[in-house]
């Protein structure tokens, strides 16, 4: 969720916008006074216009000299002079046009739409296949991100030369600041995609990758409406052409037109339940083939997506030389903000993307397609001037504004804070401070632990970094320290070498495999800032440890990650962590071994920040397979009697979209065999704070179970407002219902030969699984999750190592 937190930080840049005079009105049947949904409203003599919503309401900007032209299939059209409209509001009554054809009366009605829609379904697979089978083509795309700035707001005092670094608007109180600009040309040959031209820039150097990834993954998606579901903004939206569309949408046949001797049908669609996150809009199909030729889809305000003021998309198709169909244009426009625009409540969904207020983020991405072979002879950076593409090149002034904005102090500050939220490091010139979660922690030995972690940044060395930490405990008044080194021998991160040494206190309940799932995990036990500041009981189960580790990493071309890490550990006892074997207590022991890990991300998208790859949670699963083999060494005669230990561990992490609902999951399990110290056992623990733990248990105390054969389940369901969006107060607050489930099952069998006696503070009742279930709300004040957690079942209801229930909090951004 860190990349989402970055968006919150960036959305805080705000301002104000004013519009011209708007005409509003309702379109009704002259006799019944019932609304006529999806009527066409145009300014006569132009192509400017809109479409009424399902209640017959419309809103349109016009001048006093214009004339409105209103039409709907089955009704006589009507013209109204703007100058005759009082108070800028009008009720338009249309007269029904009833025709007699061979004694059959034809009226505008849904059944006719159903007949044609069934034909669309019959031909859908064939038409989709035509589009997908085009294997050789070119694309030219433009992506822009702008933020609206009110020239009368206080924020302008922090920006120098405002008119030079922003773009003007008709209303001089509103200007647009470029955030991110990108142009890209792709050549696809036999479905092999290659980038042949690219130019991009942004005002936040540390965040450009993240902004681009958010756009690519959540907004500028592949708009294939032939699929049953289109994934946008972390949600699965049912396509109006899906097999089950009639269950979710009201689909209307508007009219038909003749072009070049071919007949085309024009349909409109709207959600049957306006509070469900579905599309509204219109599409056109060709008669005979019933192929989709154009579709306009919007997300209505009633869908109530957080941060979204408006979403509009357009996809058009064109005939290929073989009389099939292929893409011509995919265009997306989205309006994002922390708060709902005041006047957007009365604006139909097709116009909400243009209903701009101060602080709104306007994101546009257009992709033009061509199958012309002539482009093979044209330089890709000149494609925008060719007739095959109607793209507009971003001019030099746009990039010049970006360069000037980078030097603004407020921009540099936002970039630094956003980079901190994303990577865990705060850049201080040639040094990076972090990971920031390690700066403050608590435990029973050190009391309050203050740490200064750091490393050299890429401003000092691009392929080499030296770092470390210095920590101080306010209780024991002792220093701890460590050092690390990272080296990338080539220009890419195909090979990486890491070395680390530390003399520090280490949690015996820390999951060493968590770092393969979650980059830069906190080593001190607190999963987030809320947990760090609200710890109810410091973790007493620490050992003193000296660690030497060398990591060899290999990133294969298909993003498969291989890692081999030889290590040497020397552990020293503490008051709550003792090493007793056959009634003899040992002050220290050593164990050394080799840890292998194979990460299979199946092409999951990631961004590279210095030497770390940060993966974004998508529907693509990520699999990690680990093997740790080693040996424990004791001082004395018993050293010769200890054999090897071996631990196999696997995990899978991902996300499943189920329309309005989505589920995030992380499942892991493993098996430890041989002569091993008990701190290598799987030990599920809780955070012992008010902070909600994503990959820990929320009600367990610091020491609970210790198993060598184990499995853990972490599930999180987000209802997307499926229930709360129907309750006015909750709908206004844009709250989302959430359900979580966490489960652990394990046992201690004879395959594990403990080097030391297992402390009696662990509970290992065989055959008794542990589970937690949570119910709560997310997006309170846009970025907070609150959840009530309770034990599921009564297996451990009366134990002293777990709470029965509790309330937990987590900072979280979700659409």
């Amino acid at each position: 969720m860190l990349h989402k937190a970055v968006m919150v930080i960036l959305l805080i840049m705000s301002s104000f916008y004013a519009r011209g005079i708007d005409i509003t009105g309702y379109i009704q049947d002259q006799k019944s006074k019932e609304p006529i949904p999806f009527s066409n409203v145009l300014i006569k003599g132009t192509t400017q216009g809109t479409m009424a919503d399902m209640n017959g309401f419309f809103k349109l900007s016009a001048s006093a000299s214009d004339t409105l032209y209103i039409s709907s299939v089955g009704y006589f059209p009507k013209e109204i002079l703007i100058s005759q409209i009082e108070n800028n509001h009008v009720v338009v009554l249309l007269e029904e046009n009833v025709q007699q054809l061979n004694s059959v009366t034809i009226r505008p009605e849904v059944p006719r739409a159903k007949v044609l829609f069934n034909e669309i379904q019959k031909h859908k697979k064939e038409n989709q296949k035509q589009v997908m089978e085009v294997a050789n083509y070119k694309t030219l795309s433009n992506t822009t991100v702008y933020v609206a700035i009110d020239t009368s707001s206080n924020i302008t005092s922090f920006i120098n030369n405002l008119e030079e670094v922003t773009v003007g608007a008709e209303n001089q109180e509103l200007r647009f600041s470029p955030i991110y600009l990108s142009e890209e040309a792709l050549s696809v040959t036999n479905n092999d995609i290659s980038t042949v031209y690219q130019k991009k820039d942004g005002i936040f150097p540390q965040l450009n990758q993240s902004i681009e990834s958010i756009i690519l993954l959540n907004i500028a998606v592949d708009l294939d409406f032939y699929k049953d579901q289109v994934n946008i903004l972390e949600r699965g939206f049912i396509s109006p052409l899906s097999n089950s569309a009639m269950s979710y949408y009201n689909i209307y046949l508007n009219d038909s037109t003749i072009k070049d001797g071919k007949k085309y049908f024009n349909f409109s669609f709207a959600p049957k339940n306006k509070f469900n996150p579905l599309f509204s809009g219109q599409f056109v199909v060709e008669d005979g083939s019933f192929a989709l030729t154009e579709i306009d889809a919007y997300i209505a305000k009633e869908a109530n997506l957080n941060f979204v003021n408006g979403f509009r998309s357009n996809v058009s198709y064109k005939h290929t030389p073989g009389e099939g169909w292929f893409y011509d244009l995919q265009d997306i426009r989205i309006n994002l903000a922390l708060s709902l625009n005041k006047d957007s409540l009365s604006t139909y969904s097709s116009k909400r993307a243009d209903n701009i207020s101060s602080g709104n983020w306007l994101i546009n991405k257009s992709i033009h397609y061509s199958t012309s072979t002539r482009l093979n002879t044209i330089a890709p950076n000149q494609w925008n001037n060719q007739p095959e593409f109607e793209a507009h090149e971003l001019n030099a002034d746009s990039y010049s504004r970006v360069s000037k904005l980078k030097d603004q102090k407020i921009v540099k500050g936002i970039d630094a804070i956003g980079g901190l939220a994303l990577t865990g490091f705060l850049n201080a010139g040639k040094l990076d401070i972090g990971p920031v979660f390690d700066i403050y922690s608590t435990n029973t030995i050190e009391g309050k632990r203050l740490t200064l972690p750091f490393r050299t940044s890429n401003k000092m060395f691009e392929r080499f970094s030296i770092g470390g930490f210095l920590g101080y405990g306010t209780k024991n008044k002792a220093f701890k320290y460590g050092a690390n080194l990272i080296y990338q021998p080539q220009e890419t991160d195909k090979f990486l070498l890491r070395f680390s040494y530390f003399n520090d206190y280490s949690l015996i309940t820390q999951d060493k495999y968590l770092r393969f799932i979650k980059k830069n995990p906190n080593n001190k036990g607190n999963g987030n800032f809320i947990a760090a500041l609200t710890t109810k009981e410091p973790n007493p189960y620490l050992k003193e440890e000296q660690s030497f580790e060398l990591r060899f990493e290999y990133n294969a071309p298909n993003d498969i990650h291989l890692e081999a890490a030889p290590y040497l550990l020397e552990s020293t006892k503490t008051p709550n962590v003792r090493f007793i074997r056959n009634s003899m207590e040992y002050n220290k022991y050593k164990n050394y071994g080799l840890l292998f890990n194979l990460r299979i991300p199946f092409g999951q998208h990631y961004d590279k920040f210095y030497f770390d790859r940060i993966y974004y949670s998508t529907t693509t699963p990520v699999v990690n397979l680990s093997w740790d083999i080693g040996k424990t060494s004791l001082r004395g005669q018993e050293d010769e009697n200890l054999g090897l230990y071996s631990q196999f561990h696997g995990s899978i992490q991902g996300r499943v979209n189920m329309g309005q609902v989505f589920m995030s999951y992380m499942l892991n399990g493993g098996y430890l065999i041989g002569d091993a110290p008990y701190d290598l056992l799987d030990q599920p623990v809780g955070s012992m704070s008010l902070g909600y733990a994503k990959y820990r248990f929320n009600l367990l105390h610091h020491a609970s179970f210790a198993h060598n054969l184990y499995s853990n389940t972490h599930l999180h369901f987000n209802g997307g407002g499926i229930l709360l969006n129907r309750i006015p107060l909750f709908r206004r607050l844009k709250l989302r219902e959430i359900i979580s489930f966490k489960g652990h099952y394990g046992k201690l069998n004879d395959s594990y030969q403990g080097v030391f006696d297992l402390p009696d503070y662990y509970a290992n009742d065989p055959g008794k699984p542990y589970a937690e279930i949570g119910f709560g709300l997310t997006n309170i004040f846009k970025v907070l999750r609150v959840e009530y957690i309770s034990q599921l079942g009564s297996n451990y209801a009366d134990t002293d190592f777990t709470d029965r229930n509790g309330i937990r909090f987590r900072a979280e951004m979700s659409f």
Side-chain angles (χ1 to χ4, degrees):
M1 306 300 291
L2 287 179
H3 66 289
K4 300 177 183 176
V6 172
M7 284 301 295
V8 173
I9 294 170
L10 299 178
L11 284 171
I12 293 175
M13 297 178 63
S14 60
S15 295
F16 166 68
Y17 174 69
R19 299 192 49 147
I21 298 175
D22 291 329
I23 301 298
T24 62
Y26 286 91
I27 303 173
Q28 299 175 353
D29 184 283
Q30 182 173 284
K31 292 182 179 180
S32 66
K33 302 299 187 292
E34 292 291 324
I36 303 175
F38 309 112
S39 302
N40 297 308
V41 184
L42 298 173
I43 295 177
K44 187 178 179 181
T46 73
T47 59
Q48 179 183 354
T50 186
M51 179 178 288
D53 65 15
M54 61 187 304
N55 298 313
F57 175 82
F58 70 91
K59 184 176 182 180
L60 181 68
S61 296
S63 65
S65 59
D66 289 333
T67 299
L68 291 184
Y69 181 84
I70 301 98
S71 65
S72 183
V73 63
Y75 290 88
F76 290 108
K78 194 168 188 176
E79 297 182 7
I80 300 176
L81 296 174
I82 296 294
S83 59
Q84 296 179 351
I85 298 175
E86 298 181 0
N87 299 322
N88 300 327
H89 183 78
V90 63
V91 175
V92 182
L93 300 177
L94 296 184
E95 180 183 356
E96 188 177 14
N97 180 11
V98 179
Q99 302 178 3
Q100 296 291 329
L101 296 177
N102 297 328
S103 300
V104 178
T105 300
I106 304 297
R107 299 176 184 270
E109 54 185 12
V110 175
R112 173 61 175 161
K114 286 186 176 180
V115 172
L116 294 175
F117 190 79
N118 288 335
E119 292 297 321
I120 295 173
Q121 293 297 310
K122 290 179 182 178
H123 294 79
K124 186 173 73 171
K125 187 174 182 179
E126 175 186 349
N127 290 325
Q128 183 183 27
K129 184 179 179 181
Q130 288 182 0
V131 175
M132 300 302 294
E133 285 185 344
V134 176
N136 300 283
Y137 58 92
K138 310 286 192 296
T139 69
L140 183 63
S141 64
N142 284 327
T143 303
T144 62
V145 181
Y146 283 84
V147 65
I149 297 179
D150 178 12
T151 58
S152 64
S153 67
N154 293 330
I155 196 173
T156 58
S157 61
F158 298 98
I159 301 178
N160 301 322
N161 304 321
L162 181 68
E163 292 189 0
E164 293 184 18
V165 297
T166 59
V167 180
E170 293 181 4
N171 186 315
Q172 293 304 309
E173 290 187 354
L174 184 74
R175 298 186 70 84
F176 294 91
S177 171
I179 301 296
Y180 175 83
L181 308 173
S182 173
E183 303 167 80
E184 185 177 55
L186 300 180
S187 178
V188 181
T189 305
N190 296 324
N191 290 320
D192 184 22
I193 302 174
S194 60
T195 301
V196 292
Y197 172 74
Q198 187 175 67
K199 183 179 181 180
K200 59 184 178 180
D201 201 358
I203 68 174
F204 301 120
Q206 296 188 59
L207 302 176
N208 283 341
Q209 287 187 85
S210 183
I211 292 174
E212 185 176 27
S213 295
I214 292 171
I215 295 171
L216 290 173
L217 298 178
N218 296 319
I219 296 169
V221 296
D222 179 21
L223 294 174
D224 184 358
F225 286 93
Y226 279 119
K227 294 180 179 179
D228 288 340
Q229 186 169 278
V230 179
N231 293 323
I232 299 175
L233 301 168
E234 302 184 338
R235 304 292 181 86
F237 286 77
I238 302 298
S239 169
L241 269 68
S242 72
N243 297 330
S244 59
M246 283 294 186
S247 300
Y248 296 94
Y249 292 98
N250 289 317
I251 297 179
Y252 304 89
L253 173 63
N254 291 341
D255 52 26
S256 59
T257 57
I258 303 294
K259 182 179 179 181
D260 298 331
K262 196 71 174 179
K263 189 174 184 180
Y264 297 88
F265 296 105
N266 190 316
F267 293 82
S268 297
F269 54 91
K272 288 186 175 180
N273 187 327
K274 64 181 181 179
F275 298 124
N276 285 343
L278 297 167
F279 296 111
S280 61
Q282 56 274 336
F283 62 85
V284 179
V285 298
E286 181 189 49
D287 189 21
S289 69
F290 292 94
L292 188 64
T293 65
E294 185 173 9
I295 181 167
D296 293 288
Y298 320 103
I299 298 177
K301 66 178 184 294
E302 289 85 1
N304 211 21
L305 293 180
N306 285 293
F307 315 107
V308 178
N309 277 316
F311 179 96
R312 183 179 68 213
S313 63
N314 169 263
V315 182
S316 59
Y317 301 78
K318 58 186 175 185
H319 273 295
T320 60
E323 292 303 309
W325 288 92
F326 188 59
Y327 291 116
D328 182 33
L329 170 69
Q330 288 194 23
D331 185 78
I332 290 178
R333 180 178 176 86
I334 186 169
N335 183 337
L336 294 177
L338 284 173
S339 60
L340 189 68
N341 292 350
K342 291 182 179 179
D343 58 347
S344 67
L345 292 174
S346 60
T347 304
Y348 179 55
S349 58
S350 64
K351 291 295 181 181
R352 292 180 70 236
D354 300 319
N355 178 32
I356 307 167
S357 292
S358 62
N360 289 182
W361 281 56
L362 306 177
I363 301 173
N364 285 84
K365 184 175 179 71
S366 62
I367 308 175
H368 294 258
Y369 295 78
S370 176
T371 56
S372 171
T373 57
R374 190 184 73 86
L375 292 172
N376 294 330
T377 63
I378 308 296
N381 61 350
Q382 297 297 317
W383 285 0
N384 59 292
N385 298 321
Q386 304 306 311
E388 287 86 350
F389 294 116
E390 297 179 0
H392 299 285
E393 181 182 22
L394 294 168
N395 57 45
D397 288 342
S398 299
Y399 289 100
S400 175
R401 292 186 181 97
V402 169
S403 297
K404 293 177 181 179
L405 276 166
K406 287 180 184 179
D407 296 329
Q408 302 283 338
K409 291 183 179 180
I410 187 173
V411 173
K412 289 182 177 180
I414 294 174
D415 188 40
I417 296 173
L420 171 65
L422 183 68
T423 66
F425 289 88
L426 177 65
N427 179 255
K430 294 185 177 181
L431 288 179
D432 287 334
I433 308 300
V436 293
F437 281 121
D438 288 348
I439 292 177
Y440 174 80
S441 60
T442 59
N443 60 68
T444 55
I445 297 176
E446 298 175 293
K448 291 180 175 59
R449 164 69 179 261
L450 302 176
T451 304
L452 177 61
F454 64 93
R455 70 181 182 188
T456 57
S457 72
N458 57 355
K459 296 179 181 179
M460 181 176 289
F461 307 111
E462 291 187 358
R463 294 191 291 177
F464 184 78
S465 178
I466 301 174
F469 69 87
L470 180 64
Y472 178 76
T474 59
K475 182 178 178 181
N476 65 347
K477 302 187 184 304
F479 287 96
K480 289 297 180 181
Y481 48 88
N484 58 72
L485 180 150
I486 308 174
Y487 176 55
Q488 178 181 302
Q490 302 177 349
E491 290 188 6
T492 69
D493 64 345
K494 182 176 182 180
F495 296 99
L496 286 173
L497 177 66
R498 302 176 191 258
F499 170 78
S500 66
Y501 163 79
F502 66 78
N503 186 323
D504 199 1
Y505 292 102
S506 175
L507 295 170
I508 65 168
T509 54
Q510 183 73 16
D511 183 357
K512 69 180 180 182
Y513 299 104
L514 184 59
R515 68 179 176 87
F516 298 122
I517 297 173
K518 176 185 175 185
K519 287 294 182 181
N520 297 322
N522 175 39
N523 296 318
K524 305 304 176 184
N526 295 318
N528 54 56
F529 282 113
I530 296 176
L533 299 175
T534 61
T535 300
K536 295 184 293 183
E537 178 184 322
N539 195 330
Y541 304 111
L542 297 95
K543 62 178 181 176
E544 196 170 0
E545 185 175 78
Q546 286 195 74
S547 169
F548 298 84
E549 184 182 61
L550 185 64
R551 294 184 194 171
F552 300 93
E553 299 181 17
Y554 170 66
N555 291 299
N558 55 3
D559 295 334
I560 290 179
H561 176 88
L562 294 170
E563 179 178 315
Y567 61 86
L568 171 63
L569 304 176
E570 182 180 78
S571 301
T572 303
K573 73 173 185 178
T574 59
N576 290 291
V577 177
R578 302 167 63 190
F579 310 122
I580 301 174
R581 177 180 173 84
N582 298 330
S583 301
M584 180 178 177
E585 185 168 3
Y586 290 81
N587 291 326
K588 297 181 179 181
Y589 77 90
K590 293 181 180 180
N591 60 306
Y592 51 91
L594 183 61
L595 175 62
F596 298 94
N597 186 75
L598 170 65
R599 180 187 180 99
I600 310 174
F602 297 102
Q604 186 190 40
H605 184 79
Y606 69 88
D607 283 333
K608 186 175 182 292
F609 292 90
Y610 210 7
F611 300 109
D612 294 319
R613 292 188 175 191
I614 296 181
Y615 289 84
Y616 293 92
S617 179
T618 66
T619 54
T620 303
V622 177
V623 174
N624 274 284
L625 301 174
S626 303
W627 179 37
D628 182 16
I629 182 170
K631 181 178 176 63
T632 302
S633 174
L634 299 176
R635 292 182 180 179
Q637 297 180 352
E638 295 186 53
D639 189 15
E640 300 177 358
N641 300 326
L642 297 179
L644 296 175
Y645 60 80
S646 183
Q647 185 172 22
F648 303 93
H649 182 92
S651 67
I652 182 170
Q653 175 194 18
R655 173 191 177 99
V656 177
N657 283 343
M658 298 170 282
Q660 191 171 350
V661 179
F662 63 84
M663 178 190 74
S664 299
Y665 61 88
M666 194 280 283
L667 312 174
N668 69 30
Y671 191 30
L672 172 66
I673 60 175
D675 298 333
Y678 62 82
D679 53 301
L680 293 184
L681 296 169
D682 180 63
Q683 301 178 41
V685 295
S687 65
M688 287 295 289
S689 71
L690 294 179
Y692 180 88
K694 188 174 183 180
Y695 296 130
R696 291 172 174 264
F697 293 82
N698 289 286
L699 299 178
L700 290 176
H701 292 186
H702 293 306
S704 50
F705 308 111
H707 295 137
N708 73 311
L709 180 60
Y710 56 91
S711 65
N712 297 285
T713 302
H714 299 269
L715 304 179
H716 162 226
F717 295 86
N718 186 312
I722 193 169
L723 299 176
L724 298 182
N725 208 20
R726 290 158 175 77
I727 305 173
L729 175 60
F730 291 158
R731 182 170 66 248
R732 192 176 305 115
L733 295 175
K734 293 194 173 185
L735 299 180
R736 302 288 181 258
E737 57 281 292
I738 52 177
I739 300 175
S740 66
F741 173 83
K742 294 175 178 288
H744 168 80
Y745 181 79
K747 61 182 179 179
L748 205 60
N749 62 25
D750 295 337
S751 297
Y752 165 74
Q753 302 295 321
V755 174
F756 305 112
D757 298 341
L758 188 67
D760 56 11
Y761 43 72
Y762 291 108
N764 285 308
D765 293 339
K768 287 187 177 182
Y770 173 84
E772 298 175 358
I773 191 167
F775 303 92
L777 305 173
T778 187
N779 284 108
I780 296 176
F781 306 118
K782 300 292 182 182
V783 294
L784 188 63
R785 162 178 173 167
V786 178
E787 190 164 351
Y788 171 78
I789 313 291
S790 177
Q791 280 192 46
L792 188 61
S794 58
N795 288 340
Y796 302 97
D798 300 320
T799 58
D800 57 1
F801 59 85
T802 179
D803 297 334
R804 190 73 180 95
N805 50 54
I807 296 178
R808 301 292 185 264
F809 301 86
R810 178 180 176 85
E812 181 176 270
M813 176 183 174
S814 173
F815 289 105

